[in-house]
Amino acid sequence: MPITDVFASNVFDEAKMKEYLAKDTFQEMEKTIREGKPLNPKIAEAVAHGMKEWALSKGATHFTHWFQPLTGVTAEKHDSFLNPSKDHSISLEFSGKELVKGEPDASSFPSGGLRATFEARGYTAWDPTSFVFIKNGVLCIPTAFYSYTGHALDKKTPLLRSMDAINTQALRILRLFGHEDVKMVRTTVGPEQEYFLVDIEDYKQRKDLLYTGRTLFGAPCPKGQELEDHYFGTIKSRVQAFMQELNSELWKLGVYAKTEHNEVAPAQFELAPVFSTTNIATDHNQLTMELIQRIAKHHGMVALLHEKPFDYINGSGKHNNWSLSTDTGMNLLEPGETPYDNAQFLLFLSAVIKAVDEHQDLLRLSVATAGNDHRLGANEAPPAIISMFLGDELTEVLKAIETDQPYGQKKQERMRVGIDILPKIKKDATDRNRTSPFAFTGNKFEFRMPGSNSSIAGCNIMLNTAVADVLEGFADTLEKADNFEDALHTLIQETIKDHKRIIFNGNGYDDSWIGEAEARGLLNLPTTPDALPYSIKPENVELFERQHVLNKEEVYSRYEINMEEYTKVVLIEARTMVGMARKDILPAVSKYTQSLADTLALKKQTGVSATYEKANLDEISSYLDKAYVALQDLEGKVKTLEGTEDFEKAANYVRDAILPAMGALRKPCDKLETLVSAKVWPFPTYGKLLFGII
């Protein structure tokens, strides 16, 4: 079936609305979708009826309010369309009230103290700007989730608020440039999704993968990613079949799955979509992660979305490509042919520069998780220090503005590679920087720090809020100016002077960058417990409240939830390590040493040389003893952590005591893997996991 027939076939999009809704009802819906107008409650009943008729025609039997609580995954509770009639027959019904509002239990999801067990009422409210879709025979209604007291308990509510904030302030700026036709400014996102695939039978034998999503033990295999032969390599047939099914299912849900390829590490892959409005892109990315995991099992594989499932090779990120666009089709981060003369672009660029510099802490903490802490800083993952890459041309443009010097526009070069038959390709104005956390890539910014397992809502909430706040200050200044052009020039110039420290076009992996960043006054927050406390700094709480994105109680609740999640994740990992070491690794190695000892004794009795057995027995026994000592130490520290009730002390204890103890246990165990017979090692090795799909 052609892609055009498949695409959005399971989505109640505008084409379906036009077919199933009355003309006036459709026009009201279109105003909400295209112009951001408030939903007219009078049309809910008619819309619900049209949705139900379409859903039934597609074989759906249930509906659900599909939402994104603070668990990191989506949630849904299914209700059938079935209703009993007085004559014991049934009718199929779906009301406007059921469409617009649901009532899940608010105390059973993370709330950071906003809800107690006896305060259970919560609400889900339909987000009409994100299309309803059918998944597994269920009509899924994208919704926001909040408590009886009105506090946001999800990721979507503050995301929508942040989108409103940046829309309001960007429109003020555009009015100053004479764009009276623009009705809405949207942030748009294209999140690249990286993941690993491993054979399901190997996965089942690894308790660490089952419980934590990453390998807690594992010596490096002889081949990793050194040859760089997996990147963009030929896709194996088994993986290609998985990708084909994945694409088909994503297209049915209206997800713009565009690019697929092998990533750098063995068994690692990437999927990238076309840009969408941020809340829709967030919904689509949640669906993408769900379908990657589900469809992989159809092909005898398991998808790993952990940020660092294997040591010694690349982790997986989720590059958040972010831009600003108007409903008239204008990209506000498009430099044009002459960026030096493009004042509107320079103003929005300056706003982003200032926002990233002033709110480094918020961007860093938006990607702070236990898993991402293992990933940041190497193997194409950016360092934990926030900086911006602009490239040579834009950096020179800003320098010329800062110093009031004329800028000599460079002619666009064409690539010359010495082969006449090849087309003469235009050379881009700037190179790429894979070590930069926040890089300008032509007409958008690529935020490379988010981990593959995270919702993109978090980083976009922070980015939208920070930029909205700067734009508000810019608008306040320019609206009061006597001479707009002079005030505009001065504002751009002063912003560049005040915030140029955040611009760094060099190698973020170079050891000297840490010292240089410190000299510039940039933050270095290497771990999650280092970063998260910045969320409750008074100035950040004031920022969120000023932009109406989060109130004080919501900010503090998220701080507590995220700190507790960090502790819980590592505690599960530590317990898993203890179990694997005590029940699997140490017994297997001990049994192997017994066989060595028996052989050694036999050879001694017969007077035969036993140099190999003696040397191996000594070395293995030495590492076995070290592993046992480390195991006992970790067990003691786990008990201490389990008795720590204060969430801040617990998170810091994880960072300072638990993680080092886990590393101390892993080291001798990984060494033992290289010393004992492959036949006795209790679970699949890195070589089997990374190269097991053939």
Side-chain angles (χ1 to χ4, degrees):
M1 187 180 293
I3 295 176
T4 51
D5 292 342
V6 170
F7 191 79
S9 58
N10 286 345
V11 181
F12 193 68
D13 56 13
E14 289 180 82
K16 313 292 193 318
M17 291 180 197
K18 202 167 186 178
E19 179 181 352
Y20 281 88
L21 302 181
K23 185 176 181 180
D24 57 343
T25 303
F26 170 71
Q27 289 174 342
E28 287 291 324
M29 278 297 301
E30 199 171 34
K31 289 179 184 177
T32 296
I33 295 167
R34 292 181 177 271
E35 302 175 20
K37 300 290 185 184
L39 177 70
N40 183 348
K42 295 180 181 179
I43 68 169
E45 201 68 40
V47 174
H49 177 75
M51 280 183 185
K52 182 199 70 175
E53 292 302 307
W54 170 75
L56 292 174
S57 75
K58 299 289 292 183
T61 59
H62 289 68
F63 66 91
T64 182
H65 276 203
W66 184 78
F67 58 103
Q68 300 170 36
L70 298 171
T71 56
V73 294
T74 57
E76 50 195 74
K77 179 189 71 169
H78 302 172
D79 288 299
S80 72
F81 294 117
L82 183 150
N83 277 293
S85 299
K86 291 181 180 180
D87 60 357
H88 303 292
S89 63
I90 62 168
S91 61
L92 301 178
E93 298 176 5
F94 181 51
S95 68
K97 181 180 179 181
E98 289 172 314
L99 167 63
V100 171
K101 186 181 104 174
E103 293 192 25
D105 188 339
S107 66
S108 298
F109 292 99
S111 70
L114 292 176
R115 294 271 83 189
T117 303
F118 69 93
E119 299 172 318
R121 191 178 295 280
Y123 302 104
T124 48
W126 174 35
D127 171 15
T129 63
S130 185
F131 293 134
V132 167
F133 56 91
I134 292 174
K135 177 169 65 78
N136 298 328
V138 178
L139 181 70
C140 297
I141 305 157
T143 57
F145 176 43
Y146 52 90
S147 73
Y148 183 70
T149 55
H151 291 105
L153 296 176
D154 67 343
K155 297 177 183 292
K156 170 162 278 195
T157 302
L159 178 64
L160 292 172
R161 292 171 181 169
S162 73
M163 292 171 64
D164 282 345
I166 203 167
N167 173 58
T168 298
Q169 305 307 331
L171 283 175
R172 292 176 65 194
I173 296 293
L174 291 177
R175 296 290 180 263
L176 294 169
F177 282 92
H179 296 294
E180 299 294 334
D181 57 329
V182 175
K183 297 178 181 178
M184 179 179 287
V185 175
R186 299 182 178 96
T187 53
T188 56
V189 171
E192 304 167 32
Q193 178 70 55
E194 295 176 343
Y195 58 95
F196 283 82
L197 292 173
V198 298
D199 188 88
I200 195 167
E201 295 305 319
D202 295 331
Y203 171 85
K204 289 177 181 178
Q205 298 176 61
R206 296 280 316 210
K207 293 175 185 175
D208 47 4
L209 289 179
L210 281 166
Y211 297 148
T212 75
R214 76 178 182 104
T215 54
L216 301 172
F217 297 102
C221 56
K223 180 184 178 183
Q225 60 189 54
E226 304 92 337
L227 296 179
E228 300 170 332
D229 56 340
H230 190 256
Y231 191 49
F232 280 25
T234 302
I235 300 173
K236 294 175 180 177
S237 299
R238 190 172 168 191
V239 176
Q240 186 68 66
F242 152 78
M243 288 181 170
Q244 288 173 348
E245 184 180 354
L246 174 63
N247 285 331
S248 178
E249 294 304 311
L250 288 172
W251 291 334
K252 290 176 185 177
L253 292 171
V255 178
Y256 299 104
K258 177 76 172 178
T259 303
E260 60 189 27
H261 60 82
N262 290 358
E263 255 299 335
V264 174
Q268 188 184 32
F269 308 92
E270 180 178 297
L271 181 151
V274 180
F275 276 60
S276 301
T277 307
T278 303
N279 64 314
I280 297 173
T282 301
D283 289 352
H284 283 179
N285 186 248
Q286 293 295 135
L287 286 170
T288 298
M289 290 192 287
E290 177 185 334
L291 287 175
I292 285 174
Q293 292 176 305
R294 178 184 299 163
I295 293 172
K297 293 174 183 176
H298 296 175
H299 299 266
M301 300 181 289
V302 171
L304 305 178
L305 296 179
H306 194 283
E307 296 86 348
K308 190 73 170 177
F310 302 99
D311 273 5
Y312 318 113
I313 60 174
N314 280 14
S316 292
K318 185 177 308 195
H319 305 153
N320 189 82
N321 295 284
W322 180 91
S323 193
L324 278 167
S325 300
T326 69
D327 60 328
T328 59
M330 181 168 44
N331 184 336
L332 301 178
L333 293 179
E334 174 61 61
E337 294 295 325
T338 56
Y340 182 78
D341 300 318
N342 190 341
Q344 179 178 288
F345 160 73
L346 290 171
L347 184 65
F348 279 99
L349 176 65
S350 299
V352 178
I353 292 171
K354 181 177 181 180
V356 173
D357 184 33
E358 288 187 341
H359 301 292
Q360 306 162 43
D361 51 355
L362 295 181
L363 289 180
R364 170 64 185 95
L365 69 87
S366 75
V367 300
T369 65
N372 216 22
D373 283 357
H374 296 292
R375 168 181 165 263
L376 295 177
N379 299 114
E380 290 199 12
I385 303 168
I386 298 287
S387 64
M388 293 180 72
F389 170 82
L390 294 182
D392 295 338
E393 182 179 14
L394 271 186
T395 301
E396 290 178 17
V397 166
L398 297 186
K399 186 176 181 180
I401 293 171
E402 178 192 356
T403 57
D404 267 333
Q405 297 295 318
Y407 172 70
Q409 179 74 28
K410 292 182 179 180
K411 291 184 178 180
Q412 190 170 42
E413 299 180 42
R414 291 187 179 272
M415 298 295 291
R416 298 180 182 276
V417 293
I419 303 174
D420 292 338
I421 198 171
L422 294 181
K424 303 300 185 287
I425 299 172
K426 291 181 180 179
K427 185 176 181 179
D428 288 311
T430 183
D431 203 346
R432 287 186 177 182
N433 188 328
R434 310 303 284 176
T435 72
S436 177
F438 202 84
F440 188 74
T441 56
N443 60 5
K444 63 185 184 298
F445 279 98
E446 182 183 29
F447 188 31
R448 295 177 56 83
M449 293 183 79
S452 60
N453 197 36
S454 299
S455 166
I456 61 170
C459 62
N460 286 296
I461 289 167
M462 300 302 180
L463 186 54
N464 291 349
T465 304
V467 174
D469 201 60
V470 173
L471 290 175
E472 181 176 18
F474 282 7
D476 289 344
T477 298
L478 294 173
E479 285 171 351
K480 293 183 288 188
D482 294 328
N483 186 306
F484 174 70
E485 291 188 1
D486 288 348
L488 178 63
H489 178 78
T490 300
L491 180 59
I492 294 172
Q493 185 179 56
E494 289 180 352
T495 302
I496 295 167
K497 287 179 180 178
D498 293 343
H499 300 284
K500 62 183 179 182
R501 65 174 184 170
I502 200 69
I503 300 169
F504 177 64
N505 294 334
N507 182 4
Y509 292 165
D510 196 305
D511 291 340
S512 64
W513 169 233
I514 296 175
E516 182 181 339
E518 183 179 1
R520 293 186 183 199
L522 302 181
L523 291 171
N524 185 3
L525 306 172
T527 71
T528 294
D530 294 322
L532 289 180
Y534 281 82
S535 65
I536 58 172
K537 287 176 62 179
E539 55 266 40
N540 286 333
V541 176
E542 291 170 8
L543 165 68
F544 290 124
E545 291 191 318
R546 184 166 60 247
Q547 293 303 325
H548 307 291
V549 172
L550 293 166
N551 60 37
K552 184 177 180 179
E553 291 80 11
E554 291 169 336
V555 172
Y556 273 80
S557 71
R558 280 156 177 75
Y559 170 57
E560 181 176 333
I561 289 167
N562 291 331
M563 288 285 271
E564 287 184 339
E565 181 187 15
Y566 170 81
T567 300
K568 291 174 182 176
V569 166
V570 180
L571 180 57
I572 292 170
E573 292 180 348
R575 289 171 177 162
T576 303
M577 282 196 85
V578 166
M580 292 176 72
R582 184 168 286 283
K583 297 179 181 180
D584 298 317
I585 296 175
L586 269 60
V589 174
S590 179
K591 186 176 181 179
Y592 181 69
T593 59
Q594 181 182 348
S595 67
L596 280 176
D598 291 344
T599 304
L600 176 63
L602 182 61
K603 283 191 171 184
K604 282 185 176 181
Q605 286 178 5
T606 58
V608 176
S609 173
T611 304
Y612 167 78
E613 287 81 6
K614 179 68 169 64
N616 272 270
L617 185 60
D618 288 344
E619 186 174 14
I620 291 171
S621 296
S622 173
Y623 281 106
L624 187 61
D625 289 344
K626 291 176 182 177
Y628 180 60
V629 170
L631 171 61
Q632 289 181 307
D633 180 59
L634 180 57
E635 286 176 324
K637 287 182 167 60
V638 166
K639 288 181 180 178
T640 300
L641 178 61
E642 289 172 339
T644 304
E645 295 184 359
D646 183 279
F647 70 87
E648 292 176 323
K649 289 181 180 178
N652 290 326
Y653 187 76
V654 163
R655 177 194 61 199
D656 300 333
I658 296 291
L659 286 170
M662 291 170 64
L665 175 57
R666 176 169 184 162
K667 188 174 181 180
C669 289
D670 286 358
K671 181 64 177 178
L672 287 168
E673 181 189 322
T674 68
L675 297 175
V676 304
S677 169
K679 293 181 180 179
V680 304
W681 196 249
F683 38 74
T685 63
Y686 271 20
K688 190 75 166 67
L689 290 167
L690 292 170
F691 297 95
I693 297 175
I694 56 176

